[in-house]
Amino acid sequence: MHIYYDSKTGNVDRFINKVIQITGWKATRIQEDTVPTEVGHLVTYTINFGKVPEKTLAFTEKYNHLIHSVSSSGNRNWGRNFAVAADKLAENFDLPVGLKFELSGTLVDINEFIDIIKNQYYDSKRRSEKLDIA
């Protein structure tokens, strides 16, 4: 399993590091020159009360055909804009939303993410209603 991720403040970094510790999955932090080598899942964050980070957007525009789901960190103080980057990427690129979590996520969030990717992804295709549980 491969996870591509973007992090600004370290919240997504911490989330991904916990996922890796539990699962042993591979993860690649998105850089401007990142070229994915295999299919995977995308985890990002939401900025400016509801925007997708530019680096994440550019990566998704180029490589959305290799992305099987998108998840996002956010802050519940933003109300309806909480982790909305996942919703925007899902809508624009026909991707299922895996999970929306607050800041660096709780252990419950991490285990839910692992369960979604591990169990629900394998018996569904992109744009699966089963995967869209966020």
Side-chain angles (χ1 to χ4, degrees):
M1 195 63 59
H2 203 98
I3 309 293
Y4 297 98
Y5 72 98
D6 197 0
S7 185
K8 181 177 181 177
T9 63
N11 285 326
V12 176
D13 276 320
R14 285 187 289 281
F15 181 85
I16 293 299
N17 286 334
K18 292 173 197 169
V19 169
I20 291 169
Q21 287 175 358
I22 294 169
T23 64
W25 294 345
K26 295 181 274 178
T28 301
R29 185 173 182 161
I30 297 169
Q31 303 296 330
E32 290 179 16
D33 61 350
T34 299
V35 177
T37 57
E38 57 190 298
V39 297
H41 301 269
L42 176 63
V43 180
T44 191
Y45 58 98
T46 302
I47 57 171
N48 298 333
F49 301 99
K51 293 187 179 177
V52 177
E54 288 182 31
K55 198 181 335 172
T56 300
L57 184 57
F59 179 84
T60 309
E61 284 173 343
K62 279 185 176 176
Y63 303 112
N64 66 80
H65 63 285
L66 296 173
I67 300 170
H68 288 290
S69 73
V70 60
S71 297
S72 181
S73 172
N75 189 319
R76 292 195 190 280
N77 290 338
W78 296 355
R80 64 187 166 111
N81 287 327
F82 166 68
V84 77
D87 298 323
K88 289 181 177 183
L89 290 169
E91 184 177 327
N92 290 336
F93 298 102
D94 194 30
L95 297 167
V97 173
L99 181 71
K100 292 161 60 171
F101 57 94
E102 187 165 25
L103 303 174
S104 60
T106 64
L107 187 55
V108 171
D109 295 328
I110 290 160
N111 286 322
E112 185 176 358
F113 176 79
I114 292 167
D115 180 61
I116 288 167
I117 300 305
K118 194 163 122 181
N119 298 315
Q120 296 184 33
Y121 162 71
Y122 283 114
D123 63 357
S124 61
K125 295 188 178 185
R126 285 178 60 164
R127 206 64 221 146
S128 165
E129 293 304 315
K130 184 174 181 182
L131 209 106
D132 283 332
I133 63 169

